[in-house]
């Protein structure tokens, strides 16, 4: 999504702003707290560190938050941070993490329905893609109290 938005608006991709290791920026993948921590350390070492970060998932955001704090910086005053998934721990971090909530129950229901359709079909089933609406859950990692 990040790369698509840049391309749609004619903005250059600044590779040094994509950090964290693991799966490439072109391919979604899971990220750990350690990957978020190391990625944030890379970003903090830049000549002009970012003032806001969007992490691949909440766990990567937790690691990034740790790196920010260990560098003596404040969240969100110095660097705002947003995660993705809205795992239960996200509302209990310090500060609570702003994140994107996915409709996981709906995703699971549809995945099971599509799998059953494939299992029950005697013919090959065409690939389907669905887009789900997500919700931005604003907490204190992006806005002060």
């Amino acid at each position: 999504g990040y790369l698509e938005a840049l391309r749609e608006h004619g903005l250059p991709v600044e590779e040094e702003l994509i950090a964290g290791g693991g799966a490439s920026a072109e391919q979604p993948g899971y990220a750990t707290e350690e990957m978020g921590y190391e990625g944030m350390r890379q970003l903090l070492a830049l000549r002009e560190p970012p003032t806001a970060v969007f992490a691949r998932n909440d766990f990567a955001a937790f690691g990034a938050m740790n790196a920010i704090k260990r560098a003596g910086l404040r969240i969100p005053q110095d660097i705002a941070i947003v995660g993705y998934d809205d795992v239960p721990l996200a509302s209990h971090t310090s500060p609570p993490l702003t994140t994107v909530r996915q409709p996981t129950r709906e995703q699971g229901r549809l995945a099971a329905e599509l799998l059953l359709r494939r299992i029950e079909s005697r013919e090959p089933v065409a690939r389907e893609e669905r887009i789900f609406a997500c919700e931005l859950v604003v907490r204190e990692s992006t806005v002060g109290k």
Side-chain angles (χ1 to χ4, degrees):
Y2 167 72
L3 296 174
E4 270 182 41
L6 290 177
R7 288 182 192 118
E8 285 176 15
H9 290 83
L11 298 171
V13 174
E14 298 181 44
E15 293 293 333
E16 68 273 8
L17 296 178
I18 301 172
S24 74
E26 291 284 348
Q27 298 175 332
Y30 187 77
T32 64
E33 289 174 62
E34 184 176 302
M35 292 164 73
Y37 182 85
E38 290 304 321
M40 192 69 238
R41 285 177 42 101
Q42 290 173 14
L43 294 173
L44 291 172
L46 294 174
R47 191 172 57 79
E48 291 185 41
T51 58
V53 171
F54 184 81
R56 186 180 296 259
N57 63 29
D58 288 348
F59 293 103
F62 299 154
M65 291 171 80
N66 190 14
I68 292 167
K69 290 177 184 180
R70 286 189 179 196
L73 300 171
R74 300 165 300 152
I75 304 166
Q77 295 88 341
D78 299 314
I79 301 178
I81 187 154
V82 177
Y84 193 91
D85 287 332
D86 195 25
V87 298
L89 185 59
S91 64
H92 301 286
T93 57
S94 180
L97 179 65
T98 293
T99 186
V100 177
R101 180 181 294 152
Q102 300 183 73
T104 53
R105 185 175 301 268
E106 185 181 347
Q107 289 171 330
R109 182 195 56 73
L110 180 62
E113 182 182 303
L114 293 173
L115 180 60
L116 288 171
R117 190 179 311 157
R118 275 195 166 191
I119 291 169
E120 293 169 354
S121 176
R122 297 196 185 277
E123 301 295 320
V125 177
R127 182 175 185 264
E128 285 187 51
E129 284 189 30
R130 301 281 176 94
I131 297 175
F132 294 90
C134 293
E135 173 189 0
L136 179 64
V137 180
V138 179
R139 296 190 180 113
E140 295 170 41
S141 69
T142 54
V143 291
K145 258 192 156 177

